[in-house]
Amino acid sequence: MPTSNAHPQLRIDIVSIFPDYLAPLELSLVGKAREAGQIDVRIHDLRDCTQDRHRTVDDTPYGGGPGMVMLPEPWGDALDSILGSDPSRTPVLVVPTPSGERFTQAHAAKWALGDWLIFACGRYEGIDSRVMEHFGERIHVAEVSLGDYVLAGGEVAALAVTEAVVRLLPGVLGNSESVVDDSFAPGRMADLVEGPVYTKPPLWRGLEVPEVLLSGHHGRIEAWRLEQAHERTRTRRPDLHGETPSGDMAD
Ligand code: 6GU
């Protein structure tokens, strides 16, 4: 049985002009994984890689238009320095952007098998595209989006992706079984969201826990949960068009 010893420590570097935004990585599951030595998280201030007195990180876009674009030089220096700190590893450079491919559980599962993630958190209208072009010739670059809305910068996405990856590392979750029933987990949950969950008391404000969950009949409980997952996916996530669990569920 694989243990946390069988897995290399995951290194995570995050470059941002708001390093304090990443403070939540000291808390909860990710914070505990850091304390346990399961991950090595290093946060970097992009402004430490600027050359001028004003610590400039942006300028106006070529071609005109609103907003500012992040300069390539500080990014080049920051990423060169991080890459040079461990030539033995091959990182994935994750660039959060609303114009990226959608980040999914499949990315999280793949990156949990690797040993090094570097996040380049842009602000403003984004990072000069030559940064992604240049580093794309040296390492794998993944421009990813959390969904179809616009955040002010990549920091929240870096937090989200980090948490999605770290909770999949062996030994990070208390119960190693619990990830297989997750929404989107590879396998039967791949295109499904989880159904409702309940705990004690069995009757609360006139609302009962579904009887099947109190039956102790594990086969019926599993079948009911799968049925609920399909129903919830059909109503809330028609974009996933989850398959029906069996012929009698078709409608
Ligand atoms: Cl990854 N970044 C930004 N700035 N906005 C987003 C996003 C990422 N995903 C959705 N909106």
Side-chain angles (χ1 to χ4, degrees), residues 95-101 103 122-124 143-158 161:
V95 184
T97 169
S99 63
E101 62 183 79
F103 173 71
R123 285 260 150 185
Y124 317 114
E143 293 186 63
V144 297
S145 166
L146 294 188
D148 296 340
Y149 46 84
V150 179
L151 303 170
E155 287 78 8
V156 167
V161 171

Side-chain angles (χ1 to χ4, degrees), residues 114-219:
D115 65 358
W116 195 4
L117 294 175
I118 304 173
F119 291 91
C121 299
R123 285 260 150 185
Y124 317 114
E125 297 303 309
I127 302 171
D128 186 304
S129 196
R130 292 170 293 182
V131 172
M132 284 64 80
E133 193 180 332
H134 170 83
F135 286 97
E137 291 175 355
R138 297 171 55 184
I139 57 174
H140 181 67
V141 174
E143 293 186 63
V144 297
S145 166
L146 294 188
D148 296 340
Y149 46 84
V150 179
L151 303 170
E155 287 78 8
V156 167
L159 291 173
V161 171
T162 295
E163 189 164 302
V165 170
V166 170
R167 67 184 287 285
L168 296 179
L169 297 175
V172 168
L173 281 188
N175 177 0
S176 63
E177 302 279 298
S178 54
V179 300
V180 306
D181 292 326
D182 283 345
S183 299
F184 316 116
R188 63 177 190 173
M189 293 301 288
D191 295 313
L192 291 174
V193 296
E194 268 189 83
V197 297
Y198 301 88
T199 186
K200 292 170 274 297
L203 178 64
W204 178 77
R205 298 191 181 186
L207 301 171
E208 290 180 333
V209 171
E211 177 277 332
V212 62
L213 298 178
L214 309 177
S215 69
H217 194 301
H218 297 298

